Amino acid sequence: AYCGQALFDSKAKYDSGSGWPSFWRTIEDGAVSYKMEFDGRLECRCGRCQSHLGHVFLDGPRPSSVPQEILQMSPESDPRSKSENGRLPRFCINGASLRVEQIP
């Protein structure tokens, strides 16, 4: 985010086919906050500075298609499908909102 807050881990990045950088989980509880927009889309914002990051959709990868040890560490604050066999969230992020850093 603009303020330097860590939001996502590359282990949760995937190709959604949308052309936008997409992740299926945040890095930790509170890293991202959410606001329902008038048109029903779920906006995601930086949990620290509230800058607009993009939107969250519940059409991400299936839970069985991601590493289970990473899935088990998914923050409780990440949106979830109400369906038992539902998909994970797809955080569709505006690339201009991201600053990519390599963490040793």
Side-chain angles (χ1 to χ4, degrees):
Y2 296 114
C3 67
Q5 167 85 342
L7 303 168
F8 303 98
D9 185 315
S10 63
K11 294 176 185 157
K13 188 174 188 313
Y14 78 106
D15 182 2
S16 68
S18 67
W20 295 90
S22 298
F23 301 86
W24 56 267
R25 62 160 282 188
T26 60
I27 197 164
E28 64 184 10
D29 275 322
V32 173
S33 64
Y34 308 97
K35 179 183 178 202
M36 187 62 69
E37 294 185 329
F38 71 94
D39 60 1
R41 294 184 302 168
L42 186 59
E43 177 189 20
C44 57
R45 299 175 173 192
C46 172
R48 180 188 295 159
C49 71
Q50 295 300 303
S51 62
H52 174 82
L53 302 172
H55 294 88
V56 184
F57 304 96
L58 294 178
D59 62 357
R62 295 201 181 279
S64 60
S65 70
V66 301
Q68 295 303 296
E69 64 276 3
I70 298 171
L71 178 61
Q72 292 172 356
M73 297 183 316
S74 293
E76 290 294 321
S77 59
D78 284 0
R80 300 277 191 258
S81 171
K82 294 186 185 341
S83 168
E84 184 177 319
N85 294 321
R87 293 181 177 266
L88 295 169
R90 172 175 54 102
F91 292 87
C92 190
I93 304 302
N94 178 342
S97 299
L98 296 177
R99 183 178 78 205
V100 180
E101 293 182 5
Q102 185 172 1
I103 300 175

